[in-house]
Amino acid sequence: MKKMLLKTAVIFTALFSLNLQAAPQDWQQIKRPIPSEDGKAKPIGSYSNGCIIGAQALPAKGEGYQVIRMNRNRYYGHPAMIKYLERLGERAKAAGLPTMLVGDIAMPGGGRFLTGHASHQMGLDADIWLRMGAMSDADALNSDGKGLLVVNRQAQRVDERVWNNHHATLIKLAAQDPDVTRIFVNPAIKLKLCQTAGADRGWLHKIRPWFGHDSHFHVRLKCPVDAAYCENQAPVPAGDGCGDELYSWFEPSKPSSGSTKPKVVPPEPFLCQQVLSSPNRHEWLK
C-alpha cells in the first residue's frame, strides 16, 4: 500500500511540474488501448475533457449491430459501453428492428479529437446512426456520406418521408437502459418523440435536444460506480422535457453583441497528461 501511495505521489509531482497541454494529434496517434496495471478500465476526467486507460474495442459485428466508420479507429470504449451496445443490439434484434449501426465511440486512449467531437473522450459516449440495416464491409470501413438525414432543416421538423417507427423504437430502447444518463438528439426529433410517445413517457427525460444530431443520436452512460476519476454530469431536470424548454430551441437566435471571447481549452486531467508523457508511450503508437 505504501509503495502504491509513493508511486502515485511521484506521478502527481511529475505531472504538476510538466503541466502539459496536449494537442489532439497526440491522442490521434495512439493506435491501441493503453493497458491498465490492475486490469480494470479507468475513465478519467469528464466527457469533454478526459481519456481512458484499459479501453476495449467493440467487435465489428454482433447480435443486432454493426460497427461503421472503422477507418477512423474510433470504436473503443469503456467495457460498460461495449456491454451496453451489445445489449442494445440484442434488444433491437428481438424487437424486429433492422441492424443497428454504431458510429464513433472513442479513440483507443480517448482524449480530444482532431475533428468531429468535443466529447467522446472517456469511452462513455457513442453515436448510433438513424440509417438502419447492415452495410457491406467496404461501406462499413468508410461510411462518409452514407448517413440518413431525418430532419427537414428548413422546417425544423422531422422529415416524415424518412422518419419511421423503427427510429422511435430504437431511441426508446436505448434510453430505457439504466446505465444511460442522456441521449442527445436534434430538437425536431425530441419534439416528434414527445408528440408520439403516448402514455409511456418515463424515458423521455433522458432525451436531450442539441444542435446537429439529425442523422444519428448520441448515447451517454453514467460513470461506473468504481470509476474514481470519472466526473458525472449534473442530473437531467425532472419532467419529460416536452414543454417550454423544448420549444425554446425553435426560437430565432438572439442578435450577437459583436464581441466574442476566444474559447479557452482547459488543461487535461493530470492522469491523462501522465499517459502522454509515459516512457512506454511508444508501445501504444504501434
Side-chain angles (χ1 to χ4, degrees):
M1 184 67 180
K2 289 182 179 179
K3 289 183 178 179
M4 184 178 295
L5 290 173
L6 178 61
K7 183 177 181 181
T8 301
V10 170
I11 288 171
F12 272 83
T13 301
L15 291 174
F16 271 108
S17 63
L18 288 170
N19 194 24
L20 298 175
Q21 181 64 55
Q25 291 90 333
D26 295 321
W27 296 105
Q28 196 86 22
Q29 291 171 4
I30 295 175
K31 302 303 181 185
R32 66 182 186 87
I34 300 157
S36 173
E37 288 186 359
D38 62 3
K40 296 181 180 179
K42 295 176 180 60
I44 300 166
S46 67
Y47 300 96
S48 58
N49 186 24
C51 62
I52 180 170
I53 296 172
Q56 292 181 1
L58 178 64
K61 294 179 182 179
E63 194 78 10
Y65 80 85
Q66 181 180 15
V67 178
I68 58 173
R69 293 164 63 95
M70 296 196 70
N71 61 325
R72 295 178 181 253
N73 203 33
R74 297 175 174 181
Y75 48 86
Y76 300 86
H78 188 278
M81 174 57 82
I82 302 306
K83 291 176 183 176
Y84 165 78
L85 291 168
E86 291 175 334
R87 193 161 63 239
L88 181 58
E90 292 171 359
R91 295 189 68 197
K93 183 175 181 179
L97 300 182
T99 299
M100 177 180 80
L101 301 178
V102 180
D104 293 349
I105 308 173
M107 295 182 290
R112 292 194 178 105
F113 284 83
L114 189 61
T115 60
H117 299 288
S119 58
H120 289 254
Q121 293 196 30
M122 294 193 296
L124 294 171
D125 295 281
D127 289 341
I128 298 175
W129 276 26
L130 291 167
R131 171 177 169 173
M132 302 172 75
M135 285 187 175
S136 68
D137 290 345
D139 284 348
L141 178 63
N142 185 348
S143 310
D144 290 351
K146 298 178 176 67
L148 176 67
L149 180 65
V150 302
V151 172
N152 182 323
R153 292 172 176 172
Q154 185 173 2
Q156 299 186 70
R157 295 293 185 270
V158 298
D159 187 339
E160 300 290 352
R161 297 172 299 176
V162 295
W163 177 264
N164 59 57
N165 289 336
H166 288 334
H167 298 126
T169 299
L170 182 58
I171 295 173
K172 182 177 180 179
L173 287 174
Q176 287 176 323
D177 194 290
D179 285 351
V180 173
T181 181
R182 283 169 169 79
I183 292 181
F184 298 104
V185 299
N186 187 276
I189 295 175
K190 169 76 175 188
L191 178 60
K192 182 66 173 180
L193 295 172
C194 288
Q195 293 171 339
T196 58
D200 182 8
R201 308 180 71 81
W203 54 279
L204 279 172
H205 73 288
K206 293 184 182 180
I207 311 300
R208 311 304 297 166
W210 200 254
F211 296 115
H213 297 92
D214 47 14
S215 61
H216 73 276
F217 61 95
H218 173 162
V219 177
R220 175 164 292 168
L221 303 189
K222 61 187 178 183
C223 292
V225 293
D226 62 347
Y229 305 106
C230 181
E231 180 183 338
N232 272 310
Q233 280 186 276
V236 296
D240 61 14
C242 294
D244 292 342
E245 173 203 358
L246 173 58
Y247 284 93
S248 69
W249 286 85
F250 302 104
E251 296 174 357
S253 301
K254 295 180 180 179
S256 173
S257 63
S259 59
T260 56
K261 295 181 180 180
K263 186 175 180 180
V264 177
V265 178
E268 291 170 313
F270 287 120
L271 289 178
C272 296
Q273 295 179 18
Q274 184 216 358
V275 166
L276 294 180
S277 60
S278 168
N280 297 330
R281 184 174 182 270
H282 66 279
E283 298 176 6
W284 314 325
L285 307 182
K286 297 177 182 177

